[in-house]
Amino acid sequence: MVIFNNQKELKAHLKPLLDSNKTIGFVPTMGALHNGHLSLLKKSLQQNEITVTSIFVNPTQFNNPEDLEKYPRTLEEDLKKIENLNSKVIVYTPTVEDIYGKNVTSESFDYDGLEHQMEGKQRPGHFDGVGTIVKSLFEIVDPTKSYFGEKDYQQVLIVKKMVEKHKLPVQIVVCPILREKNGLAMSSRNERLSKEEREKASFIYKTLLQAKELFKVKDFSEVYHFVSQAFRSQKFLELEYFIIADSKTLLEITKKYKSKKYRAFVAVNVGKVRLIDTISLN
Ligand code: AMP
């Protein structure tokens, strides 16, 4: 495994590979790797000659300083997991300065309104931070394909929009959500939960599955009512939002059209840990 912590050396290493037209798959992460991340790496290894992954907790996408400070950082274990999966993966673990220099700020992005929904509303500036880091990393790595998880569905649409608007020569590959046995979506933030909280948090996916069944036969307003009532009975789980939205525009549903695809999105606080999940409804 080759590890780089500065972009100059990484670029120098990648240059001859790019010059000889090798396909490069890229998996950006914030570390504390779990099987969800590894599934993205596996896909990239299958589809490309070279795979690069980055591990970088990007400060500009955190609107909550405590969330940034407490974000799990487990670099040694992450490197072992990557090495066990495939020792040919190229790892980029930059410092904040290597990415931002002295100016740790975001660029402003226009994602045609996608940024005003859900996570954009709840976490001001989050998607400017995401756009800034993803664009920088794409410029450094110059990948053929880059892999993103459907768990962060809004992020996937945002990244696709950014790629389209900036005409970046990269194909975005979307990968399915990996879950714990109890249904809880795998997430680095799960590391901050106690065993009991992890068990309790399985309620999130169970409720999404029930919402999906209900959505088939009932009006959407009844699904909203059902979900908000269901979370009221959960004293460890505080529902921040439950939203049914158009899968393309992310605009919240106002009327159900047969021709449209919908998804449910949820954000839940378990103590001080904020979890998100999503499911397609039709
Ligand atoms: P993160 O380290 O949280 O920024 O995630 C890095 C990438 O892994 C993102 O594209 C995520 O959507 C993806 N990812 C996170 N959790 C999962 C999961 N449970 N299943 C599949 N992909 C995931």
Side-chain angles (χ1 to χ4, degrees):
M1 185 170 55
V2 218
I3 306 168
F4 295 94
N5 50 29
N6 76 76
Q7 53 173 290
K8 216 170 149 198
E9 286 172 20
L10 173 65
K11 278 184 187 159
H13 182 82
L14 293 176
K15 176 137 195 333
L17 302 170
L18 287 162
D19 287 347
S20 58
N21 285 325
K22 294 258 190 274
T23 54
I24 298 188
F26 176 50
V27 181
T29 82
M30 297 204 297
L33 300 184
H34 50 67
N35 285 339
H37 296 114
L38 297 184
S39 73
L40 271 56
L41 277 168
K42 281 183 200 159
K43 193 47 99 36
S44 173
L45 285 159
Q46 283 162 12
Q47 298 186 341
N48 302 277
E49 291 162 291
I50 309 289
T51 287
V52 180
T53 187
S54 59
I55 298 176
F56 179 61
V57 182
N58 173 37
T60 62
Q61 73 188 69
F62 285 80
N63 58 315
N64 174 348
E66 190 181 348
D67 189 24
L68 172 60
E69 187 204 320
K70 297 263 169 73
Y71 198 85
R73 290 161 171 91
T74 57
L75 185 60
E76 289 284 300
E77 287 152 53
D78 292 350
L79 295 176
K80 275 189 211 140
K81 286 180 188 168
I82 298 170
E83 176 77 28
N84 286 341
L85 180 72
N86 186 306
S87 60
K88 292 211 178 91
V89 175
I90 299 169
V91 187
Y92 178 42
T93 58
T95 57
V96 172
E97 188 164 12
D98 190 50
I99 295 285
Y100 288 98
K102 296 268 177 262
N103 186 18
V104 189
T105 52
S106 300
E107 266 179 67
S108 271
F109 289 85
D110 172 4
Y111 305 104
D112 291 346
L114 292 169
E115 70 275 32
H116 302 314
Q117 312 304 321
M118 300 178 295
E119 291 300 285
K121 246 188 221 160
Q122 301 302 114
R123 305 180 65 189
H126 171 64
F127 287 121
D128 279 340
V130 168
T132 302
I133 185 61
V134 172
K135 188 159 156 279
S136 299
L137 291 169
F138 283 175
E139 279 159 8
I140 295 166
V141 177
D142 196 4
T144 323
K145 294 183 177 173
S146 185
Y147 297 78
F148 289 83
E150 196 168 57
K151 169 165 173 286
D152 300 283
Y153 186 89
Q154 187 173 12
Q155 171 172 277
V156 166
L157 295 195
I158 292 260
V159 169
K160 282 185 170 170
K161 182 65 78 181
M162 191 268 288
V163 163
E164 179 194 312
K165 288 207 166 192
H166 292 262
K167 299 194 172 59
L168 304 181
V170 54
Q171 185 190 331
I172 303 304
V173 181
V174 186
C175 304
I177 304 175
L178 259 75
R179 298 181 178 280
E180 305 288 353
K181 272 207 193 89
N182 68 12
L184 175 64
M186 287 182 182
S187 164
S188 303
R189 288 187 171 87
N190 293 353
E191 298 220 350
R192 295 181 55 204
L193 301 177
S194 67
K195 217 172 150 211
E196 191 191 2
E197 285 172 329
R198 277 192 188 214
E199 222 22 77
K200 293 244 157 49
S202 66
F203 183 82
I204 300 169
Y205 184 54
K206 289 194 187 100
T207 308
L208 284 182
L209 287 173
Q210 286 173 307
K212 179 171 176 141
E213 286 312 304
L214 217 51
F215 186 75
K216 289 179 187 159
V217 289
K218 299 274 188 194
D219 186 68
F220 72 87
S221 58
E222 290 190 46
V223 184
Y224 273 70
H225 181 70
F226 163 77
V227 172
S228 69
Q229 283 300 113
F231 274 93
R232 257 179 223 158
S233 69
Q234 296 294 305
K235 93 168 186 270
F236 287 88
L237 310 178
E238 183 206 308
L239 182 63
E240 188 176 300
Y241 64 73
F242 169 82
I243 282 172
I244 298 177
D246 182 301
S247 332
K248 281 200 188 124
T249 62
L250 299 184
L251 292 176
E252 191 166 3
I253 188 168
T254 50
K255 185 175 186 303
K256 187 164 154 187
Y257 295 95
K258 282 227 168 75
S259 58
K260 284 193 176 175
K261 292 251 179 269
Y262 297 99
R263 294 188 76 89
F265 298 88
V266 69
V268 175
N269 290 294
V270 188
K272 292 196 160 176
V273 182
R274 186 174 183 278
L275 304 176
I276 59 170
D277 203 345
T278 176
I279 194 169
S280 80
L281 294 177
N282 61 338

